[in-house]
């Protein structure tokens, strides 16, 4: 419904999907390989991923890729991960592999949460349960790293859509996503 009716009614011509893969894999492909007409990593346009899913934090890259939580409005970038948690974006994928991810049905190491996983990764305090279950962590890593290793077809965005912003505001309001209202301009770096 979203890709076949709602987005086209708003004027979005590029409804990206790849059969067999989840939206987070496609977002990761675009974030890592932005083939958007006119996009240049040295330019002033950054990529903002709007998602409450912390898995997306592994995609943060300097100020080129940031994540915004639509519920809280918080913006997380690579510097934020380092400052708040002491881990890099790729290390955050390892955190998710250790603690597990309920939304993706990835089991974690029993009794280990984010704080313990971070302490283990950073060397602050090794946890014997993590070390003893390293094979499970490696298996989980394959499930949480974005994009999935088999998802390599990069969608190419051609041109820019003409979004009808009044329709956009109406739809996001009806969907309870008011934090996305009036999102008209690309993110510009300072």
């Amino acid at each position: 419904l979203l890709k076949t009716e709602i987005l086209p009614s708003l004027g979005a011509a590029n409804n990206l999907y790849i059969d067999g893969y989840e939206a987070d894999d496609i977002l990761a492909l675009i974030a890592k390989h932005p083939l958007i007409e006119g996009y240049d990593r040295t330019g002033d346009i950054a990529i903002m991923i709007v998602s409450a899913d912390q898995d997306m934090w592994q995609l943060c890259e300097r100020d080129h890729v940031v994540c915004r939580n639509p519920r809280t409005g918080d913006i997380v970038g690579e510097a934020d991960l380092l400052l708040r948690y002491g881990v890099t974006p790729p290390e955050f994928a390892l955190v998710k592999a250790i603690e597990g991810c309920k939304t993706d049905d990835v089991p974690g190491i029993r009794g280990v949460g984010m704080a313990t996983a971070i302490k283990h990764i950073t060397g602050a305090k090794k946890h014997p349960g993590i070390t003893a279950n390293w094979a499970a962590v490696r298996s989980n890593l394959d499930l949480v790293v974005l994009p999935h290793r088999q998802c390599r077809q990069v969608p190419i965005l051609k041109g820019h859509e003409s979004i009808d912003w009044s329709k956009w505001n109406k739809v996001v309001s009806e969907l309870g996503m008011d934090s996305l209202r009036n999102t008209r301009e690309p993110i510009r770096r300072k």
Side-chain angles (χ1 to χ4, degrees):
L1 180 65
L2 180 66
K3 69 183 175 187
T4 59
E5 293 180 28
I6 295 174
L7 291 175
S9 76
L10 296 173
N14 291 312
N15 302 315
L16 304 173
Y17 58 95
I18 301 171
D19 287 335
Y21 295 98
E22 296 180 356
D24 55 1
D25 292 308
I26 297 167
L27 289 170
L29 280 173
I30 294 168
K32 288 184 177 224
H33 309 284
L35 297 178
I36 302 169
E37 194 174 273
Y39 181 84
D40 176 3
R41 283 190 186 277
T42 62
D44 63 349
I45 296 177
I47 295 171
M48 178 179 280
I49 299 169
V50 180
S51 174
D53 189 349
Q54 290 181 342
D55 290 355
M56 295 294 172
W57 292 0
Q58 65 185 279
L59 302 172
C60 295
E61 179 188 327
R62 295 183 304 284
D63 56 350
H64 297 296
V65 181
V66 296
C67 296
R68 180 175 187 267
N69 184 323
R71 293 182 207 139
T72 64
D74 291 344
I75 296 175
V76 174
E78 184 173 3
D80 300 302
L81 285 176
L82 285 167
L83 183 64
R84 290 184 205 175
Y85 304 104
V87 295
T88 65
E91 288 172 329
F92 194 78
L94 184 55
V95 169
K96 298 306 285 181
I98 293 170
E99 78 163 332
C101 181
K102 290 179 184 175
T103 59
D104 290 327
D105 203 24
V106 176
I109 304 303
R110 186 178 172 101
V112 177
M114 184 185 293
T116 302
I118 290 170
K119 287 176 187 174
H120 184 86
I121 291 167
T122 61
K125 184 178 181 185
K126 293 296 181 184
H127 188 280
I130 297 171
T131 305
N133 291 290
W134 195 249
V137 171
R138 288 181 57 179
S139 177
N140 284 354
L141 199 54
D142 189 46
L143 299 172
V144 299
V145 168
L146 296 173
H148 187 274
R149 62 182 163 76
Q150 294 177 343
C151 186
R152 294 288 176 242
Q153 176 188 350
V154 181
I156 299 174
L157 300 176
K158 295 180 180 176
H160 301 282
E161 293 89 15
S162 249
I163 301 289
D164 181 329
W165 291 106
S166 62
K167 288 181 183 176
W168 170 268
N169 287 334
K170 181 177 185 246
V171 169
V172 296
S173 184
E174 287 173 1
L175 295 173
M177 302 168 76
D178 287 326
S179 63
L180 298 179
R181 288 178 56 78
N182 299 319
T183 306
R184 298 179 184 180
E185 296 295 324
I187 306 158
R188 304 253 177 220
R189 283 189 269 164
K190 296 175 185 174

